Amino acid sequence: MKRKDLWLKAGLWLGICLRLSCSAPGFSVEVAPAATRQQLDVGVAETLELERKTEAARQQWEVDRQTLAERTHAMELEEKLLAVRLRKLDGYREQRLAEIGRLEEGLARMEDVGLRLEPFLDELVGRLEGLMGNDLPFALEERERRLEDLRESLDRYEVDLAEKLRRVMEVLRIEAGFGRGFEVGEETLSLAGVETTVRVLRLGRVALYYLTLDGRQAGWYNQRLKLWQPLTTAAGEAVKEALRMALKQRAFDLVRLPVVAEEKP
């Protein structure tokens, strides 16, 4: 269809040229030679080729324009998305800055606490040593070794403050546990100047009682006088029954045992 239009345009152009020539003074119609017709055909062909190339260029331009429009639209969408992300990142940054500020304040407080905590731990260990010195004489070797290890760890530079605190709390937990429940063990005591193996019953941190292996002699530790003392026959029977209950050799029941009354200030 386009080729036909081009031929029509070329014919129309040729007709206009002939009309103008015919209307000119002294016009005479002559038959164009073959060379002139050939030149005309070449000119028409060139015109058609130029029109074809122009149409191809126009179509390519249309394709390029559509491609650029799509890319522009995609870039505009990406710009909007990046703007939204940027606003969110600004919000996140503000939150992180606020969090960093809180952490820095916390670190400053921790440094202040650390300066006060280490001497406080030393004070706690000193109090624990005093407690053991005034406590009932049970598991002395174990407790003294644990306390000595704790003191050495507090004096070591490479042990950080958190680990020192953990070790102190662990020793305090163990010592607090001695105040609950009861325990039975064998020890060698000096009774009337004779080394005697006995069973010792510990009732928390309240009292210590002993019973010889043959069951003939019972006694208790007088906390006020800091020495072991024998008990009467009736009290000895109560200690014997308490030992049997602690060893789960009989059902639990109430027994009357001597204890040291707390001194009034």
Side-chain angles (χ1 to χ4, degrees):
M1 179 63 71
K2 291 181 179 180
R3 187 176 183 87
K4 184 177 181 181
D5 292 342
L6 291 174
W7 278 105
L8 289 175
K9 291 178 181 179
L12 180 60
W13 174 77
L14 180 60
I16 293 172
C17 292
L18 290 174
R19 184 182 180 97
L20 292 175
S21 299
C22 291
S23 61
F27 170 76
S28 60
V29 178
E30 295 181 357
V31 178
T36 303
R37 288 197 299 271
Q38 185 177 3
Q39 292 176 357
L40 182 60
D41 291 339
V42 171
V44 171
E46 292 177 351
T47 302
L48 292 175
E49 180 65 19
L50 179 61
E51 183 69 18
R52 185 187 64 79
K53 291 182 178 180
T54 302
E55 180 63 20
R58 186 190 66 79
Q59 292 179 0
Q60 184 62 41
W61 177 85
E62 183 64 25
V63 172
D64 293 342
R65 186 191 66 81
Q66 185 65 26
T67 302
L68 288 175
E70 292 176 356
R71 289 182 180 178
T72 302
H73 180 66
M75 292 178 67
E76 289 175 350
L77 291 179
E78 186 176 1
E79 181 184 7
K80 293 179 180 180
L81 178 60
L82 291 175
V84 173
R85 290 182 177 177
L86 182 60
R87 287 196 298 269
K88 289 186 177 181
L89 288 175
D90 287 339
Y92 295 155
R93 185 178 65 87
E94 295 298 329
Q95 293 177 6
R96 293 296 178 267
L97 288 176
E99 185 176 354
I100 290 173
R102 291 192 297 269
L103 290 175
E104 289 177 347
E105 293 178 359
L107 288 174
R109 289 194 297 269
M110 287 180 62
E111 290 178 358
D112 183 60
V113 170
L115 293 175
R116 300 181 182 182
L117 181 58
E118 192 153 10
F120 176 70
L121 294 179
D122 293 333
E123 182 181 350
L124 278 180
V125 174
R127 292 181 182 179
L128 189 56
E129 291 175 342
L131 173 65
M132 289 180 56
N134 295 320
D135 203 4
L136 297 173
F138 63 90
L140 291 179
E141 183 177 352
E142 172 191 346
R143 295 167 70 193
E144 289 174 356
R145 183 176 63 254
R146 186 183 300 113
L147 192 61
E148 182 179 356
D149 293 341
L150 178 60
R151 176 65 71 184
E152 289 180 357
S153 66
L154 291 181
D155 293 337
R156 290 170 58 186
Y157 176 77
E158 64 272 14
V159 180
D160 59 29
L161 189 58
E163 178 62 17
K164 291 179 180 180
L165 176 61
R166 188 195 66 80
R167 295 184 184 184
V168 171
M169 297 305 295
E170 178 67 15
V171 173
L172 290 176
R173 185 189 63 80
I174 294 173
E175 286 295 323
F178 289 136
R180 300 186 298 270
F182 53 84
E183 183 182 22
V184 177
E186 287 190 3
E187 294 185 23
T188 300
L189 303 179
S190 178
L191 302 178
V194 179
E195 298 295 322
T196 307
T197 302
V198 298
R199 286 193 178 94
V200 176
L201 170 64
R202 178 179 61 83
L203 298 181
R205 277 193 152 89
V206 177
L208 288 175
Y209 305 93
Y210 73 85
L211 181 69
T212 56
L213 298 181
D214 57 10
R216 294 181 179 179
Q217 183 181 354
W220 71 310
Y221 184 78
N222 191 322
Q223 180 71 359
R224 187 176 301 165
L225 300 178
K226 304 294 182 184
L227 55 84
W228 292 94
Q229 291 181 328
L231 290 173
T232 62
T233 302
E237 288 298 322
V239 171
K240 187 181 299 185
E241 292 302 316
L243 275 168
R244 291 181 60 195
M245 286 186 282
L247 295 173
K248 299 181 179 180
Q249 295 176 354
R250 57 156 292 179
F252 285 94
D253 198 358
L254 295 177
V255 292
R256 299 175 66 89
L257 295 171
V259 295
V260 175
E262 183 179 357
E263 294 183 354
K264 296 182 179 181

